[in-house]
Amino acid sequence: MTTMPGQKSNQGTGNAGIDHAFAKVGYVYDQQQKIFFSHRQAWQRDYGYCQLYDEMLAPLSMIIDCEPIYFNYEQRRWMIEFWKGQYALTTGCEVGVYYTEAENINIPGVFNGPFYNCVGDADLLDMSCTLYKDGKKLFTRADKHWWLTGFILGEFSDPTDLTLDVSITLKDEAMLAAFLEGLRSTGYQEDEYKITERSVSLTLAKPRTAQPITRTPEIERIMQWKNKLLCDLYQSITNNITSVIERMEFIKENAPDLYEEIMRMGKNKQLFGQFNLNLPLDS
């Protein structure tokens, strides 16, 4: 089995072809927790992030809570954003770290604001996240990363079902102070987060920030209806198959449309391909 840089030997499905297919779309399989997560060199790293992407989530079947935290540190504008919810065929969460030194981009009549690069290797942060559904732990992820994620294939959830515990270790005291200022500006009170040395821990239940205007009740209803159908279809097709390898092989052979949906899990090229905003990483 081919492993990604930094990938542990117990990660991956055990099938080189399936693992390669998932690696191409940015993900690795965790055998123990039965989740998919983003590897460090995922292609999404080349595309950065901005608020405009959040606005495209709901129309692309991603009904998820968004919580961006903005702050300034070392002459850069930073954003650390948390997400949790339903990503079409998966229930999942994300923690992303981004910065920019550039001026705002302006697309007249569409968007005027910062476009952030995904941080480079020198600015990766130690992070952990634990996702709960109705109080029951689904999984935990911990890594030094720019985009910490986890996705459960075939699990259906409403964002309100989910809570996300996050812990982030900042680079130094100045970055810690700047991040805490961003948290307070977002609406978090001092008794809602915990500080241990340079680490900050908090829980995302109900976002404090205004959610994307495209996530209207009607769009959410339609997309969640579709997402539930996809999850139910996945569960019915794979009900008697326990091995992830056999599941993927069976779906690829017998339900190719569903297989294509699986290969678009998480934030995919449908999202990033909407706009020509891919900028190089800061050098």
Side-chain angles (χ1 to χ4, degrees):
M1 179 180 66
T2 302
T3 58
M4 298 301 300
Q7 181 179 328
K8 299 177 182 178
S9 60
N10 65 343
Q11 293 171 353
T13 64
N15 179 290
I18 293 173
D19 289 340
H20 179 69
F22 280 116
K24 283 181 65 177
V25 295
Y27 300 104
V28 179
Y29 186 67
D30 182 327
Q31 296 175 15
Q32 294 181 332
Q33 299 193 89
K34 295 181 173 57
I35 64 170
F36 291 88
F37 64 90
S38 52
H39 60 77
R40 197 171 296 167
Q41 301 307 327
W43 64 265
Q44 290 90 337
R45 195 174 188 182
D46 293 332
Y47 281 76
Y49 213 80
C50 72
Q51 184 182 347
L52 197 56
Y53 290 137
D54 281 351
E55 292 292 342
M56 290 304 302
L57 294 172
L60 293 175
S61 299
M62 288 173 270
I63 305 302
I64 57 181
D65 290 336
C66 308
E67 188 83 300
I69 310 298
Y70 303 103
F71 60 98
N72 296 319
Y73 168 71
E74 287 191 341
Q75 288 76 57
R76 289 171 171 166
R77 291 184 290 173
W78 291 68
M79 179 182 73
I80 295 179
E81 187 160 359
F82 316 131
W83 297 269
K84 65 176 177 71
Q86 190 67 25
Y87 299 71
L89 254 170
T90 66
T91 287
C93 65
E94 315 167 66
V95 182
V97 186
Y98 312 88
Y99 58 50
T100 183
E101 297 175 349
E103 298 296 323
N104 287 355
I105 61 170
N106 183 23
I107 305 174
V110 177
F111 176 71
N112 186 351
F115 180 92
Y116 296 92
N117 293 314
C118 305
V119 299
D121 287 350
D123 293 299
L124 301 177
L125 298 180
D126 285 309
M127 303 184 287
S128 67
C129 63
T130 302
L131 187 65
Y132 297 86
K133 181 176 179 179
D134 297 326
K136 178 183 177 181
K137 185 172 79 170
L138 297 180
F139 60 81
T140 296
R141 289 276 299 127
D143 203 351
K144 190 168 189 176
H145 220 293
W146 62 273
W147 186 36
L148 193 69
T149 68
F151 303 98
I152 303 178
L153 184 58
E155 180 77 18
F156 178 79
S157 309
D158 286 315
T160 53
D161 298 336
L162 305 172
T163 57
L164 177 63
D165 287 352
V166 179
S167 179
I168 302 173
T169 301
L170 290 310
K171 296 174 65 175
D172 52 35
E173 294 295 330
M175 189 179 194
L176 171 64
F179 179 68
L180 291 176
E181 182 178 346
L183 273 182
R184 291 189 288 267
S185 297
T186 303
Y188 287 85
Q189 305 299 313
E190 290 188 7
D191 62 353
E192 294 179 308
Y193 54 83
K194 179 181 179 181
I195 305 168
T196 305
E197 297 182 346
R198 290 181 290 108
S199 298
V200 180
S201 302
L202 58 92
T203 298
L204 171 61
K206 182 178 180 180
R208 311 305 168 86
T209 49
Q211 295 304 286
I213 61 174
T214 52
R215 187 179 156 189
T216 65
E218 183 65 8
I219 287 179
E220 181 165 347
R221 183 187 66 79
I222 293 170
M223 293 305 173
Q224 285 291 71
W225 173 79
K226 172 189 172 185
N227 293 340
K228 181 68 163 52
L229 284 180
L230 287 172
C231 289
D232 288 347
L233 176 60
Y234 173 83
Q235 294 294 348
S236 66
I237 287 176
T238 63
N239 184 48
N240 296 317
I241 308 173
T242 57
S243 164
V244 66
I245 297 172
E246 293 175 350
R247 284 185 173 196
M248 291 301 103
E249 290 176 341
F250 183 86
I251 292 171
K252 186 175 183 180
E253 179 68 24
N254 297 282
D257 290 344
L258 184 62
Y259 183 82
E260 291 301 317
E261 287 285 350
I262 293 171
M263 289 296 115
R264 288 195 290 265
M265 78 165 65
K267 289 177 177 170
N268 52 50
K269 291 184 179 179
Q270 280 185 299
L271 172 65
F272 293 99
Q274 297 291 316
F275 310 99
N276 186 24
L277 298 177
N278 49 311
L279 303 177
L281 292 172
D282 290 346
S283 58

